[in-house]
Amino acid sequence: RQELLKWNGWGYKDSKFIFNKKGQAEFTGKRYRLGGMVLPTFKEWIEKTFGASLEHKTTSRASLNINDVPPSIVNEEFLQDLIATKISYSQDAEDRVFRAHGHCLHEIFVLREGMFKRIPDIVVWPVCHEDVVKIVELACKHNLCIIPFGGGTSVSSALECPEEEKRTIVSLDTSQMNRILWIDEKNLTACVEAGIVGQDLEKQLAESGFCTGHEPDSMEFSSLGGWVATRASGMKKNIYGNIEDLVIHIKMVTPRGIVEKNCQVPRMSTGPDIHHFIMGSEGTLGVVTEVTIKIRPVPEYQKYGSVVFPNFERGVACLREVAKQRCAPASIRLVDNEQFQFGHALKPQVASIFTSFLDGLKKFYITKFKGFDPNILCVATLLFEGDREKVLQHEKQVYDIATKFGGLAAGEDNGQRGYMLTFVIAYLRDLGLDYYVIGESFETSVPWDRVLDLCRNVKERIVRECKEKGVQFAPLSTCRVTQTYDAGACVYFYFAFNYRGISDPVHVYEQIERAAREEILANGGSLSHHHGVGKLRKRWMKESISDVGLGMLRSVKEYVDPNNIFGNKNLL
Amino acid sequence: TVAKQTTESLEMVSHFLFVCSQQKELTLKKRDEFEDILEERRLSSDLRYAMKCYTPVIYKGLSPCKPNALKSAVLQSEQVQYVIKQLAKEMGESPDIIQEEAMEILDEMGHSMQLGAVRFFAFTLSKIFKQLFQRVCVNEEGMQRLQHAIQEHPVVLLPSHRSYIDFLMLSYLLYTYDLALPVIAAGIGKADFLGMKIVGELLRRAGAFFMRRSFGGNRLYWAVFAEYVKTMLRSGYAPIEFFLEGTRSRTAKTLTPKFGLLSIVMEPFFKREVFDTYLVPISISYERVLEESLYAYELLGVPKPKESTSGLLKARRILSDNFGTIHIYVGQPVSLRTLASGRINRCPYNLVPRHLPQKPSEDIQEFVSDVAYKMELLQIENMVLSPWVLVAAVLLQNLPAMDFELLAEKTLWLKGLTQTFGGFIEWPDNLCAKKAVMSGLTLHANIALLVDGHVILNDKGVEDGAVGEIVFKRALAILMCATYRNQLLNVFVRPSLVAVALQMTRSFRKEEVYSCFSFLRDVFSDEFIFFPGISLKDFEEGCFLLTKCDAIQTSQQEIYPTDKGSVIVSFLSAMFRPFVEGYQLIFRYLSKETKEAFTEKQFVPGVRSFVFQLLEKGNTQCYEALSSDMQKNALAALVHLGAVKKKKTSNEFTYNVNQEAVNKILDMFDARIPVQKPVAARL
């Protein structure tokens, strides 16, 4: 898999945004619907939004410079013991660097221009639960540090090795533990090894006519064990639930031994649920090896949709009403105007005059006839799933509510494109980096009544902080409401700016991101909805869960892992 | 951890002060230029001005809304509805009845701003202002800053309050500069403006809304009022204007701030319903205050005439009089967000729904109080002082008569000192001292006169009349004159209290002087404006300013007055002597003359007649102790010093004196104060 993926950016090697010889933007590869298409208005959007220009380019170095990589220091006795277990391992520099990071901006920046101070000394590939047990035993015996590695898509600095770690760091790559062990059609559960990647899991289940329905935006690369370790959330959680709703049973290997339950039941009252010590533990307690997860028959029918609202306020009010009536489709997302325009800029060249005529007509109808201001309006994208009949019924109910809030149906195609973009958008950062534009996303959850205030204030805070920190061009500061709940919503922010003229862009970026997080907390938002804490957001943990709360988590860690074998220093 | 917390809180305070001092430096570097807005009025048609195309600059996020829609939005708001339901449950009444009541409150309170009324005011006020005042000077840069601020965030205007003219003038000013007209919180006393039907209605239409002076305990009123203000603020409906001092200062000395309204306008930011809020301190100073004699009578306990429409018509007489120049300094807008950064624990606001009425935490209360004081200090710093203020200060130390030449000389000397202390004096470059004094005397002929080369107080008719009447007339003249000196006091208070402490302790040991300073600062904390809790910093500032004018030299442990400094030190302490002596008289009255429990209504006449008798007998010269303002402040000082207990009974406060404690405080004054004859202290 490492062969297929970029070493210094997001996703597949063959998929990326480029500017072709004509200076037009294009997305390469055949993996996505956007692949091979020309995006005629994208260049202009980039120039207008960021003040970036094609003349000012920075390039990443082409490959890793092996000499820069910190040497692998591994105790000989441990190596002998490891070889005796026949578990495959590597001390190769590229293998180790590949597992030394997630996808935070500063990590990618280091890959492009510098080197990590500390990386794993050795990578091991267990192929089953028993292998993991052996590795953890060896680590305890030789006092090593283990950092579990799944898909490597962390955006919380969770995979970064603590610089001050003197012990040998073992990167435990779960990717070879990727089998579905069994499927139980009567109870609709499947027992799966934790290293399986999201898209493989869905593909293999689909062969038997099932799915988990868990689709985080990173599902092409992230792993089941990673989902459990970070309390992941999927796009279609309205039907299938978040990871904590999906999981029936977890097996985890800790320095104390194996933790699991004695049965696979929907619910039990046996004190605090031990699963909740594991979910969100971010690799600090042990390695999740096997997970029994709920499955569902693959839905008969899927339909995308979209609705245009005159402004963001009306859109949020509509989503709130949908949540209130508990009729949210599998997914419902509301993007603000900036993101709507961004999506617009990523529209591929239309093939026929007829389509472009139709587009023009639509635009005319919405802006002129209905009086929507193209600089204020916003769009909700929808995904319905289930029986055909029920989907259509459901669709009508949702569109009826939308109408009450001034919404206009804007077609299936726009909806589908919106969801496709969430996979593609991650590739954009690599393009931006080539042209002095850096950016990142972050998320939070917030009660309904504070959604609007939080969105407005955080966006404004970002703009102000940029100005204060000497960023010369106004930043892109945009948000979308991506999940609805009974009591609130999940809000996702994108933030990017042109850093020309700034000597230490990553530092400036981090200061601004920190200010934005402060703003979120001051507005009653959470520290994280699904990205997790890692090392990036640790400083706010005490404030988030109180001193005593933190103490409770610490005491669990102390019991389970007294010698800090799982020493990635996340969370606590 | 305690130590850590203290250092943390110290850091916060110092951050806060850092923000303050940054602004201070800015204003010190360069004083803005003033522009006379009446000049153009005298040249072009008032009617055309009143009918001009008025397209004010407004808040960028404004959601436009009519006054009536505003009222119903307030009535339907979760906040008000919650309280209505709550009260209905408690009182067993139907919510409809309470809703009705809320509607009535809103009607009594609400404004109904109309452009027509605004134009009417623009026209008549032009006429009136031109008649009354020579010039109305405004710092243009301040207006430009305000214009930016209004577009960016909700704005709260915080003017000083010396006259009814204040809010009329401010609205007039904003109209002139094409800015959004403010909505104004005006207090309703028993028989204030609302009594004046026509004028009240006109004011409403010009954007005034009215709040009852006291609605202690009326939860419905509070909820409706607070929501009304917050709704206007959140929607950026208009700048909100109110007076931190709560009422017109009768003494021209800044009154200690009231916190209620300020905490209301700050709440939307605390709850992050707005990104930020600008607080704009505005200093309005009058060369001659319209109500000056009214105030003096009031302070002496002669009931003030009701503010009825007919009364206002009688005030036409005033129109023939000259009231000199008005200076309006619009201060730098202060970002609430900047002030609050690092100071507010956000948790309390995150854990309760935002529409529930919530008692502010101690943190928040402290913060609101700090901001209130800071704003008043900014008002003081930017307040333009006329030369007459200096004349009054010198004259009051040299009664009954002072040689004109000497007065002019001393006035010039005081001008230098005031500027050293950061006072903002409007004194044209080429103006000689004699001319300045002369023009002051012309404008204030009702206060002082030039007779045979000597300046005396204008207490005409003193010679003939009973002793009591003489005392009263003198008191009247002195109190009026003091109103002008008072404008200097807050600029002078820190160095002066150091000077007083130096004289009282007769010691050079810094420690001793400081403890005396600290005691005085505490006693006078209702009389003058001190930022809460930074006694040492105030002391250091006082010492620094005294060193700056070469009055003292300091070492690590000691403070010495210099040879030439003794003039300054005795002038400064004489400036504050009326307060030191006045407080002593009042404390003496309380320690000996009173029954156990009394109300404020009993206290003021009691202490007045006590002081009056002493004055009649010639046992004191402290006429200012007759001022009800000083009497109330002195009582309040004893309350916060713990020597008097204040208790709320039914609808009044009663006071209980702890004689022993008052005596102890008196001892602190008496034992240390050098007995000085008034003459000896003169310059």
Side-chain angles (χ1 to χ4, degrees):
Chain A
R1 209 165 66 95
Q2 202 175 322
E3 312 285 276
L4 285 176
L5 302 182
K6 291 198 192 81
W7 70 277
N8 63 349
W10 179 262
Y12 298 106
K13 278 180 181 162
D14 57 11
S15 305
K16 62 182 175 205
F17 284 96
I18 54 157
F19 285 107
N20 63 22
K21 284 169 202 122
K22 280 190 254 165
Q24 283 179 317
E26 200 181 313
F27 191 69
T28 62
K30 292 199 177 87
R31 293 175 188 273
Y32 300 91
R33 229 186 87 189
L34 207 59
M37 290 203 198
V38 172
L39 315 163
T41 56
F42 187 61
K43 184 178 153 217
E44 191 197 329
W45 178 83
I46 283 203
E47 287 170 346
K48 204 181 88 192
T49 310
F50 297 108
S53 96
L54 296 193
E55 276 104 70
H56 299 278
K57 202 173 166 186
T58 68
T59 35
S60 162
R61 54 165 182 240
S63 64
L64 195 62
N65 186 352
I66 303 294
N67 298 332
D68 295 346
V69 178
S72 159
I73 299 165
V74 180
N75 177 325
E76 196 53 39
E77 283 167 44
F78 164 68
L79 212 53
Q80 291 313 316
D81 283 352
L82 183 65
I83 291 165
T85 63
K86 303 218 167 72
I87 296 168
S88 61
Y89 71 92
S90 161
Q91 288 174 277
D92 173 67
E94 276 182 41
D95 291 339
R96 292 188 293 121
V97 171
F98 189 84
R99 285 158 189 82
H101 66 88
H103 281 271
C104 286
L105 177 79
H106 64 268
E107 294 169 319
I108 299 302
F109 230 81
V110 167
L111 284 173
R112 287 169 65 99
E113 300 186 356
M115 184 38 65
F116 301 104
K117 292 220 176 72
R118 186 77 171 89
I119 67 167
D121 296 296
I122 181 167
V123 182
V124 296
W125 284 274
V127 295
C128 61
H129 171 78
E130 284 68 32
D131 281 356
V132 175
V133 173
K134 286 177 202 156
I135 293 166
V136 173
E137 271 168 10
L138 286 184
C140 291
K141 180 178 161 199
H142 297 281
N143 190 26
L144 315 176
C145 170
I146 297 181
I147 298 184
F149 181 89
T153 55
S154 148
V155 280
S156 59
S157 302
L159 289 170
E160 265 179 272
C161 300
E163 270 174 40
E164 65 284 359
E165 181 59 69
K166 296 280 186 297
R167 300 172 296 181
T168 296
I169 297 181
V170 181
S171 177
L172 191 155
D173 186 321
T174 59
S175 61
Q176 303 313 303
M177 305 197 297
N178 55 5
R179 292 165 298 168
I180 295 178
L181 298 177
W182 45 257
I183 295 177
D184 177 349
E185 298 192 11
K186 291 197 191 75
N187 295 308
L188 287 177
T189 54
C191 184
V192 188
E193 286 183 317
I196 195 164
V197 168
Q199 59 176 341
D200 296 343
L201 175 61
E202 291 305 270
K203 233 178 268 165
Q204 290 175 37
L205 283 175
E207 285 165 14
S208 324
F210 293 104
C211 68
T212 63
H214 186 71
E215 294 185 12
D217 290 355
S218 61
M219 71 171 292
E220 300 163 282
F221 311 106
S222 58
S223 68
L224 174 58
W227 301 340
V228 171
T230 56
R231 291 181 69 85
S233 168
M235 179 180 97
K236 299 194 288 194
K237 72 97 196 153
N238 291 335
I239 293 184
Y240 301 97
N242 287 319
I243 195 71
E244 67 272 21
D245 310 308
L246 285 164
V247 160
I248 293 293
H249 185 265
I250 302 171
K251 199 191 260 185
M252 178 164 82
V253 181
T254 76
R256 270 284 165 199
I258 294 157
V259 53
E260 61 180 327
K261 292 184 185 175
N262 73 329
C263 53
Q264 307 202 334
V265 292
R267 183 175 194 275
M268 56 205 275
S269 176
T270 45
D273 191 341
I274 52 160
H275 282 172
H276 284 284
F277 289 123
I278 299 170
M279 285 187 285
S281 61
E282 305 192 353
T284 58
L285 299 179
V287 186
V288 176
T289 52
E290 289 169 17
V291 179
T292 305
I293 190 166
K294 291 198 241 175
I295 54 172
R296 300 285 305 163
V298 172
E300 172 193 320
Y301 187 61
Q302 261 199 349
K303 191 170 182 191
Y304 289 97
S306 64
V307 181
V308 186
F309 290 99
N311 56 44
F312 192 64
E313 288 76 11
R314 303 283 279 169
V316 170
C318 174
L319 261 63
R320 205 280 160 266
E321 184 60 29
V322 167
K324 199 173 178 179
Q325 296 192 21
R326 292 199 170 166
C327 64
S331 168
I332 177 166
R333 284 176 174 178
L334 180 78
V335 304
D336 67 0
N337 182 266
E338 289 87 346
Q339 230 169 105
F340 157 74
Q341 299 204 9
F342 167 53
H344 212 71
L346 283 175
K347 254 195 172 159
Q349 204 162 28
V350 276
S352 73
I353 297 175
F354 181 69
T355 346
S356 93
F357 172 73
L358 225 68
D359 277 352
L361 211 63
K362 258 189 254 166
K363 194 177 163 192
F364 177 81
Y365 176 72
I366 288 175
T367 59
K368 295 289 177 325
F369 193 73
K370 282 287 173 182
F372 284 21
D373 182 341
N375 293 313
I376 297 177
L377 64 80
C378 73
V379 179
T381 56
L382 310 166
L383 172 61
F384 297 91
E385 256 186 36
D387 298 347
R388 194 185 150 83
E389 207 169 304
K390 275 191 192 145
V391 162
L392 295 179
Q393 213 180 331
H394 193 178
E395 192 185 20
K396 184 174 178 319
Q397 188 186 4
V398 172
Y399 280 111
D400 283 350
I401 294 173
T403 312
K404 280 191 202 131
F405 292 90
L408 286 176
E412 277 186 71
D413 192 50
N414 279 323
Q416 191 171 9
R417 250 168 32 80
Y419 287 103
M420 181 266 304
L421 283 184
T422 47
F423 292 111
V424 170
I425 214 164
Y427 287 94
L428 262 178
R429 184 169 71 194
D430 297 326
L431 177 77
L433 280 170
D434 287 343
Y435 295 95
Y436 290 93
V437 174
I438 51 179
E440 182 94 271
S441 60
F442 51 92
E443 42 73 42
T444 186
S445 49
V446 58
W448 276 116
D449 70 314
R450 295 175 198 249
V451 170
L452 284 176
D453 288 332
L454 181 133
C455 291
R456 182 198 58 230
N457 290 344
V458 171
K459 288 200 288 186
E460 171 124 21
R461 178 74 179 262
I462 289 171
V463 172
R464 278 174 180 259
E465 291 287 333
C466 282
K467 210 190 254 173
E468 271 169 36
K469 303 279 182 309
V471 175
Q472 310 201 350
F473 304 91
L476 172 71
S477 168
T478 156
C479 69
R480 64 166 191 250
V481 179
T482 58
Q483 288 292 5
T484 63
Y485 292 87
D486 287 349
C490 166
V491 180
Y492 211 93
F493 291 90
Y494 287 109
F495 149 49
F497 63 87
N498 180 336
Y499 69 86
R500 244 163 50 219
I502 295 176
S503 58
D504 192 354
V506 173
H507 181 64
V508 167
Y509 167 80
E510 281 170 353
Q511 282 181 316
I512 297 170
E513 190 194 16
R514 196 167 135 188
R517 182 58 61 182
E518 290 281 350
E519 193 62 34
I520 286 175
L521 296 174
N523 279 273
S526 64
L527 189 53
S528 171
H529 170 263
H530 60 271
H531 281 176
V533 176
K535 288 176 272 289
L536 192 62
R537 286 176 276 274
K538 256 164 89 165
R539 74 175 86 233
W540 293 289
M541 269 301 272
K542 190 170 128 184
E543 180 185 346
S544 289
I545 62 169
S546 82
D547 266 337
V548 179
L550 207 57
M552 287 161 80
L553 296 186
R554 277 209 185 102
S555 64
V556 170
K557 164 80 179 171
E558 260 156 47
Y559 173 76
V560 172
D561 183 17
N563 297 319
N564 196 27
I565 298 299
F566 288 90
N568 60 15
K569 294 239 168 119
N570 289 339
L571 203 60
L572 298 174
Chain B
T1 49
V2 173
K4 202 182 156 208
Q5 274 171 353
T6 349
T7 44
E8 267 173 23
S9 61
L10 274 177
E11 270 167 28
M12 277 179 209
V13 170
S14 63
H15 164 78
F16 191 82
L17 291 168
F18 171 71
V19 175
C20 306
S21 65
Q22 264 184 327
Q23 266 148 358
K24 193 167 180 173
E25 268 167 33
L26 270 181
T27 49
L28 277 184
K29 254 183 242 155
K30 182 178 159 272
R31 294 291 196 191
D32 295 351
E33 297 284 319
F34 284 93
E35 190 88 1
D36 178 12
I37 59 166
L38 286 189
E39 200 174 285
E40 208 197 316
R41 287 297 85 246
R42 296 192 204 277
L43 297 174
S44 66
S45 153
D46 288 334
L47 193 63
R48 196 177 306 145
Y49 162 77
M51 299 314 290
K52 74 172 178 176
C53 170
Y54 174 63
T55 46
V57 163
I58 48 173
Y59 173 52
K60 65 176 182 207
L62 176 71
S63 25
C65 148
K66 288 258 181 312
N68 277 329
L70 184 72
K71 282 186 196 170
S72 63
V74 172
L75 204 59
Q76 295 312 322
S77 69
E78 280 176 312
Q79 286 80 345
V80 170
Q81 287 298 322
Y82 175 83
V83 174
I84 288 176
K85 275 185 206 136
Q86 205 70 9
L87 287 173
K89 214 185 286 170
E90 281 168 31
M91 308 191 323
E93 278 208 62
S94 122
D96 293 345
I97 294 174
I98 297 173
Q99 170 122 350
E100 197 88 341
E101 219 177 295
M103 192 67 218
E104 276 163 30
I105 292 173
L106 262 174
D107 281 333
E108 175 195 289
M109 180 165 72
H111 75 93
S112 51
M113 200 196 279
Q114 286 172 2
L115 198 55
V118 171
R119 294 197 192 281
F120 170 80
F121 268 105
F123 181 74
T124 32
L125 288 180
S126 293
K127 296 282 179 215
I128 294 174
F129 288 162
K130 279 191 284 187
Q131 197 60 238
L132 286 175
F133 305 110
Q134 286 168 353
R135 293 182 304 152
V136 174
C137 296
V138 181
N139 64 327
E140 288 244 312
E141 279 174 51
M143 293 308 289
Q144 278 159 18
R145 291 189 294 246
L146 182 59
Q147 185 184 343
H148 282 290
I150 284 178
Q151 292 171 66
E152 231 179 317
H153 296 302
V155 163
V156 179
L157 304 175
L158 300 170
S160 58
H161 203 11
R162 303 285 172 271
S163 168
Y164 278 137
I165 298 292
D166 290 328
F167 64 86
L168 294 174
M169 184 54 85
L170 209 51
S171 293
Y172 183 80
L173 184 65
L174 294 188
Y175 176 80
T176 306
Y177 279 84
D178 254 338
L179 299 180
L181 289 181
V183 287
I184 307 149
I188 320 173
K190 280 155 240 121
D192 264 359
F193 280 132
L194 272 194
M196 307 189 286
K197 278 235 170 94
I198 308 168
V199 176
E201 193 48 40
L202 263 174
L203 287 176
R204 249 185 226 292
R205 292 191 184 178
F209 63 97
F210 299 93
M211 80 187 277
R212 292 182 197 157
R213 275 269 151 71
S214 54
F215 45 87
N218 187 339
R219 272 153 66 198
L220 185 63
Y221 191 91
W222 176 256
V224 171
F225 179 78
E227 195 48 33
Y228 187 65
V229 175
K230 284 187 278 185
T231 305
M232 290 192 285
L233 186 108
R234 279 191 294 251
S235 64
Y237 181 83
I240 290 170
E241 173 184 331
F242 65 90
F243 301 102
L244 274 174
E245 296 166 273
T247 181
R248 292 172 298 162
S249 165
R250 270 64 170 169
T251 58
K253 207 154 42 64
T254 303
L255 303 173
T256 49
K258 305 276 180 291
F259 307 124
L261 252 168
L262 187 64
S263 66
I264 290 177
V265 298
M266 283 161 82
E267 210 183 273
F269 170 72
F270 292 152
K271 294 185 173 173
R272 293 302 193 274
E273 293 162 336
V274 295
F275 184 78
D276 198 353
T277 303
Y278 275 133
L279 307 174
V280 186
I282 297 175
S283 318
I284 308 177
S285 57
Y286 297 85
E287 200 175 4
R288 189 177 160 205
V289 180
L290 211 59
E291 296 100 321
E292 57 178 2
S293 65
L294 222 60
Y295 289 159
Y297 275 104
E298 213 181 289
L299 289 174
L300 290 171
V302 179
K304 75 170 178 180
K306 271 196 180 179
E307 284 149 24
S308 62
T309 309
S310 60
L312 205 79
L313 288 177
K314 272 182 215 148
R316 277 199 53 168
R317 190 173 45 84
I318 287 178
L319 282 178
S320 55
D321 222 338
N322 176 8
F323 288 88
T325 301
I326 300 179
H327 278 95
I328 305 171
Y329 189 97
V330 179
Q332 177 89 34
V334 179
S335 148
L336 181 54
R337 177 175 272 269
T338 312
L339 290 177
S341 90
R343 275 204 61 170
I344 304 296
N345 176 6
R346 45 218 174 193
C347 226
Y349 289 102
N350 287 348
L351 290 178
V352 178
R354 292 187 294 181
H355 68 273
L356 295 193
Q358 198 181 349
K359 196 174 179 291
S361 66
E362 260 171 51
D363 267 17
I364 295 282
Q365 286 179 24
E366 196 187 298
F367 177 68
V368 172
S369 151
D370 285 359
V371 171
Y373 275 97
K374 176 180 158 43
M375 289 299 132
E376 287 203 343
L377 287 169
L378 286 171
Q379 282 176 2
I380 289 165
E381 195 181 297
N382 295 329
M383 187 75 83
V384 171
L385 305 166
S386 70
W388 175 252
V389 166
L390 309 173
V391 176
V394 175
L395 190 59
L396 276 174
Q397 290 191 28
N398 293 278
L399 292 178
M402 188 179 190
D403 179 60
F404 176 77
E405 307 266 334
L406 189 59
L407 176 60
E409 189 187 309
K410 281 288 157 198
T411 301
L412 196 62
W413 171 81
L414 184 55
K415 175 192 163 222
L417 194 61
T418 310
Q419 281 167 336
T420 313
F421 290 171
F424 190 173
I425 299 177
E426 182 66 4
W427 186 302
D429 286 338
N430 48 3
L431 187 69
C432 80
K434 280 186 199 166
K435 266 196 190 146
V437 177
M438 241 359 257
S439 88
L441 284 170
T442 321
L443 191 65
H444 298 277
N446 59 330
I447 296 177
L449 295 170
L450 179 61
V451 178
D452 303 332
H454 279 76
V455 178
I456 56 163
L457 278 189
N458 183 353
D459 43 7
K460 254 184 267 162
V462 162
E463 301 78 25
D464 38 76
V467 193
E469 208 173 323
I470 293 175
V471 170
F472 183 78
K473 288 232 164 115
R474 268 199 86 71
L476 211 55
I478 287 179
L479 285 189
M480 274 211 275
C481 196
T483 329
Y484 293 94
R485 175 213 56 201
N486 283 350
Q487 297 179 30
L488 279 184
L489 294 182
N490 274 307
V491 176
F492 275 66
V493 69
R494 287 162 197 82
S496 295
L497 288 193
V498 174
V500 174
L502 268 172
Q503 292 202 334
M504 271 172 74
T505 51
R506 291 174 161 170
S507 160
F508 301 127
R509 289 196 45 230
K510 219 177 199 172
E511 215 172 294
E512 246 173 271
V513 179
Y514 172 63
S515 83
C516 180
F517 172 89
S518 196
F519 164 72
L520 290 168
R521 186 184 179 276
D522 219 15
V523 171
F524 290 129
S525 64
D526 293 287
E527 196 75 52
F528 308 109
I529 306 302
F530 297 105
F531 191 85
I534 51 159
S535 188
L536 186 59
K537 209 161 177 292
D538 279 343
F539 179 69
E540 278 165 358
E541 190 186 324
C543 291
F544 168 75
L545 291 174
L546 286 177
T547 321
K548 204 169 139 192
C549 63
D550 291 330
I552 57 164
Q553 281 179 330
T554 59
S555 68
Q556 202 68 17
Q557 262 105 37
E558 287 174 322
I559 300 178
Y560 310 96
T562 59
D563 291 342
K564 75 180 237 227
S566 65
V567 178
I568 295 176
V569 170
S570 38
F571 179 86
L572 294 180
S573 71
M575 193 178 207
F576 283 76
R577 179 155 306 118
F579 295 92
V580 176
E581 285 182 11
Y583 271 52
Q584 281 177 293
L585 287 179
I586 298 161
F587 291 172
R588 245 166 64 201
Y589 165 77
L590 282 169
S591 76
K592 298 200 180 84
E593 309 273 327
T594 48
K595 298 169 282 157
E596 283 270 295
F598 57 90
T599 64
E600 196 184 88
K601 272 193 196 123
Q602 294 167 321
F603 161 72
V604 171
V607 68
R608 187 188 296 132
S609 67
F610 170 79
V611 175
F612 211 88
Q613 279 167 16
L614 289 178
L615 284 165
E616 274 180 335
K617 286 183 206 145
N619 288 349
T620 179
Q621 290 297 310
C622 187
Y623 282 86
E624 293 186 45
L626 283 175
S627 155
S628 59
D629 182 65
M630 186 187 287
Q631 293 156 1
K632 287 173 195 167
N633 287 342
L635 183 62
L638 290 183
V639 171
H640 82 241
L641 291 172
V644 167
K645 286 232 152 45
K646 185 176 177 180
K647 258 189 287 179
K648 192 168 171 135
T649 52
S650 64
N651 52 0
E652 255 187 325
F653 287 108
T654 59
Y655 297 86
N656 271 300
V657 179
N658 175 349
Q659 247 106 3
E660 204 182 320
V662 175
N663 279 328
K664 217 174 133 197
I665 292 168
L666 264 175
D667 282 346
M668 291 176 85
F669 271 119
D670 284 337
R672 301 192 202 176
I673 225 172
V675 188
Q676 277 181 319
K677 290 188 184 114
V679 187
R682 279 192 198 152
L683 278 168

